[in-house]
């Protein structure tokens, strides 16, 4: 009898080893941009990883182009826990935690390598601590290039060329201040309404990287001229509701965290490989691309006007310097 019981227990143990630890579940992800954007790449990579490594028990359902509401609404629902995941621009996450607005400071990053440092290691841990206090868990940083400035009127080669042009911007005090410092006229408009606003001439221009520009078809919304202004790098986090996360079993928590790491690596690779191809295709379709003749003046305007004016909006000088220190950069001291 004892041998029979031991044999039965052994069979049960073997069965457990071969059984998937994940129960059948489906999670929705709101994605602000179209499927062929960097956001789409990150979301699809996350989906692939989660479904493959759960042997299909955990299903990820993606909703592109704001199908579940604009990015601000999606983030609000994630914070409440009524939506588990969302991908959107960092500017739309800032209203929930102002210190994340540090990432919008103009000329914070000068190269993609600096952006990568600023979204990994100690810098990423600091940003994560801010996000979690606001009810979000950052799983992945989507790299979507510098926010190059486009418009329908004329080429922009100097600060003087910004005069009298109206630009769509997110609901970001920092970006609004930056455009004013550069001589433009910023108008906050939701991302979902941007294409129509450009097409109807409500605003003259916007700012986005080449892949996103192409995915959104902004060249069909009167955007004829683009200037490679490196004033801000567009970071778009994939976030999970902290409320939802804390209710999950450790195995599922780890699956989502590892899926985010995989997605971040995938979208960085995609950005490096595809941005030039998107640029070439847009130029072939008629987009006029220019370089700035006076970018040093843009940076000076940012550091002397925008940073001092907006420091308190992003948590103060100490918060800014905490992040710069985490990146291994020198502290910032405003000019007196």
């Amino acid at each position: 009898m004892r041998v029979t019981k031991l044999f039965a227990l052994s069979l049960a143990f073997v069965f457990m080893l071969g059984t998937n630890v994940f129960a059948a579940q489906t999670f929705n992800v709101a994605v602000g941009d179209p499927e062929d954007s960097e956001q789409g790449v990150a979301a699809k990579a996350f989906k692939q990883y989660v479904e493959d490594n759960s042997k299909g028990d955990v299903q990820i359902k993606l909703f592109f182009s704001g199908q579940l509401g604009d990015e601000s609404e999606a983030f609000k629902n994630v914070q409440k826990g009524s939506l588990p995941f969302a991908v959107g621009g960092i500017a739309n996450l800032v209203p929930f935690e102002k210190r994340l607005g540090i990432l919008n400071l103009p000329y914070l990053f000068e190269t993609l390598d600096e952006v990568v440092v600023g979204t990994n290691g100690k810098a990423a841990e600091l940003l994560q601590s801010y996000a979690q206090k606001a009810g979000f868990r950052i799983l992945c940083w989507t790299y979507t290039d510098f926010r190059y400035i486009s418009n329908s009127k004329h080429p922009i080669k100097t600060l003087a060329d910004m005069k009298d042009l109206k630009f769509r911007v997110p609901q970001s005090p920092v970006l609004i201040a930056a455009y004013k410092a550069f001589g433009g006229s910023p108008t906050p408009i939701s991302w979902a309404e941007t294409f129509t606003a450009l097409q109807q001439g409500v605003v003259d221009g916007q700012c986005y990287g080449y892949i996103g520009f192409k995915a959104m078809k902004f060249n069909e919304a009167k955007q004829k001229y683009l200037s490679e202004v490196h004033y801000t790098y567009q970071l778009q986090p994939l976030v999970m509701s902290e409320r939802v996360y804390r209710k999950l079993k450790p195995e599922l928590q780890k699956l989502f965290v590892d899926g985010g790491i995989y997605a971040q690596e995938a979208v960085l690779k995609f950005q490096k490989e595809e941005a030039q191809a998107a640029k070439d295709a847009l130029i072939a379709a008629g987009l006029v691309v220019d370089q700035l003749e006076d970018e040093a003046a843009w940076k000076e305007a940012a550091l002397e006007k925008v940073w001092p004016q907006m420091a308190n909006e992003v948590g103060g000088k100490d918060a800014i310097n905490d992040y710069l220190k985490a990146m291994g950069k020198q502290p910032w001291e405003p000019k007196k």
Side-chain angles (χ1 to χ4, degrees), residues 39 71-72 75 87-105 109 119 127 131 138 141-142 144 147 170-172 175 232-239:
Q39 285 189 21
E71 292 181 358
S72 296
F75 283 147
V87 191
I90 187 64
N92 292 316
L93 200 59
V94 171
F96 303 96
E97 171 48 66
K98 67 179 183 180
R99 287 172 294 183
L100 293 174
I102 291 169
L103 297 174
N104 287 327
L105 288 172
F109 304 115
T119 48
L127 297 173
I138 299 169
W141 288 102
T142 303
T144 58
R147 295 191 71 140
Q171 287 281 359
S172 166
L175 292 180
T232 188
Y233 194 96
Q234 172 75 327
L235 286 164
Q236 302 183 321
L238 163 61
V239 297

Side-chain angles (χ1 to χ4, degrees), residues 128-298:
Q128 184 72 273
S129 70
Y130 298 157
Q132 286 180 223
K133 287 178 181 178
F136 304 92
R137 180 170 291 263
I138 299 169
L139 298 181
C140 161
W141 288 102
T142 303
Y143 302 102
T144 58
D145 214 338
F146 286 93
R147 295 191 71 140
Y148 300 137
I149 295 176
S150 70
N151 81 99
S152 60
K153 301 296 185 182
H154 56 73
I156 297 173
K157 297 182 180 181
T158 68
L159 278 173
D161 296 328
M162 292 284 285
K163 186 179 180 182
D164 298 326
L165 291 178
K166 296 178 292 183
F167 293 94
R168 176 270 169 187
V169 295
Q171 287 281 359
S172 166
V174 175
L175 292 180
I176 291 170
Y179 273 83
K180 289 180 178 178
F182 298 151
S185 178
T187 302
I189 296 174
S190 74
W191 185 238
E193 298 172 353
T194 298
F195 185 93
T196 302
L198 293 168
Q199 198 172 44
Q200 295 179 351
V202 176
V203 288
D204 303 311
Q206 61 84 52
C207 55
Y208 220 48
Y210 286 115
I211 296 172
F213 185 107
K214 183 173 179 288
M216 291 297 294
K217 300 180 180 179
F218 283 147
N219 54 317
E220 298 178 11
K222 302 181 180 179
Q223 297 302 283
K224 183 177 180 180
Y225 305 97
L226 181 145
S227 296
E228 293 191 350
V229 184
H230 302 86
Y231 79 104
T232 188
Y233 194 96
Q234 172 75 327
L235 286 164
Q236 302 183 321
L238 163 61
V239 297
M240 182 176 189
S241 170
E242 188 67 11
R243 291 186 180 185
V244 174
Y245 178 87
R246 292 185 180 277
K247 293 178 181 178
L248 301 178
K249 292 181 178 180
E251 297 86 358
L252 193 50
Q253 291 178 339
K254 184 177 187 303
L255 178 69
F256 289 144
V257 170
D258 290 347
I261 294 170
Y262 176 83
Q264 184 164 318
E265 292 173 350
V267 75
L268 179 59
K269 182 174 183 290
F270 177 80
Q271 174 61 231
K272 289 180 176 179
E273 293 177 351
E274 299 299 326
Q276 184 62 49
K279 176 180 177 179
D280 293 343
L282 288 166
I283 291 174
L287 182 68
V288 177
V289 175
D290 288 293
Q291 307 297 322
L292 293 182
E293 298 173 356
D294 62 345
E295 189 149 22
W298 294 65

